[in-house]
Amino acid sequence: MTTTVSATREAVTTAPVDRAFDIGTPLTPVGFYPRSGPLPGVVAVHDQTGGWGTPGQTRRLQLSDGGSVTETIVEVDPPGTGPADRVGAFTYELSDFRGPLRLLVRSGRAEWWYSAGGASDGSTRGRGTRISWRYTFRARRGAGLVVRLIVGLLWGPYMARVLRGIAHELDRRV
């Protein structure tokens, strides 16, 4: 049986939904995903052609621990094209883990939603954008408990830190 473990975090930006999606989706992970304790940071992106926003595109992320992982875009629904409860959606899958993570994780999936109504003061008066990010890991056989601990104790707080940086960058750009 495969163990799947997920964490979800949210952040709010003053950027309108379309701008948040257009800026946030292709944002490079370098600089926004720093090393945090035992979690490696993203130090380089390899083999990406063109912008980052078309299903089927792949790229390899080089991690600070010497490992790497491949990301593949599986869904891009810009604002106005997705279901009503998801103003904009972006999903990519992670595979081919190399380095220490390969011992624990078989694959992963990251899902991002950009919904209208968030504001920097936390209200929902139609200003700004609420960004929701869910990360799901599929643990290797026998590694489920360790992956649960890592996601629960380390990955969730790490996601919150990453999202704060991304929301700050979106606010800065608009």
Side-chain angles (χ1 to χ4, degrees), residues 8-174:
T8 303
R9 294 297 184 270
E10 293 185 337
V12 175
T13 176
T14 58
V17 172
D18 58 338
R19 293 285 292 146
F21 186 89
D22 290 346
I23 295 168
T25 297
L27 207 60
T28 180
V30 177
F32 290 100
Y33 294 71
R35 181 178 191 95
S36 181
L39 299 177
V42 176
V43 296
V45 176
H46 302 289
D47 304 324
Q48 177 179 325
T49 56
W52 186 244
T54 303
Q57 278 186 291
T58 63
R59 64 184 182 186
R60 176 160 286 286
L61 304 184
Q62 185 68 47
L63 305 177
S64 61
D65 64 0
S68 64
V69 63
T70 298
E71 292 183 332
T72 302
I73 299 175
V74 296
E75 176 188 25
V76 180
D77 287 321
T81 63
D85 64 333
R86 293 186 195 167
V87 176
F90 175 70
T91 303
Y92 54 91
E93 293 184 346
L94 296 97
S95 61
D96 195 21
F97 286 85
R98 297 183 186 174
L101 285 175
R102 80 182 187 293
L103 302 173
L104 300 172
V105 178
R106 196 174 81 219
S107 64
R109 182 177 179 95
E111 301 166 282
W112 295 75
W113 297 278
Y114 297 79
S115 55
S120 61
D121 63 2
S123 70
T124 56
R125 293 189 299 260
R127 299 186 344 245
T129 302
R130 178 168 307 281
I131 303 168
S132 302
W133 178 25
R134 179 172 55 219
Y135 216 104
T136 303
F137 291 100
R138 286 169 206 85
R140 290 207 174 274
R141 182 179 299 258
L145 179 60
V146 174
V147 173
R148 280 187 194 285
L149 288 170
I150 290 171
V151 171
L153 297 174
L154 302 172
W155 190 254
Y158 177 72
M159 290 172 67
R161 179 179 169 192
V162 168
L163 275 173
R164 279 192 304 272
I166 290 172
H168 177 74
E169 179 66 9
L170 294 173
D171 289 344
R172 186 186 72 76
R173 289 195 189 187
V174 296

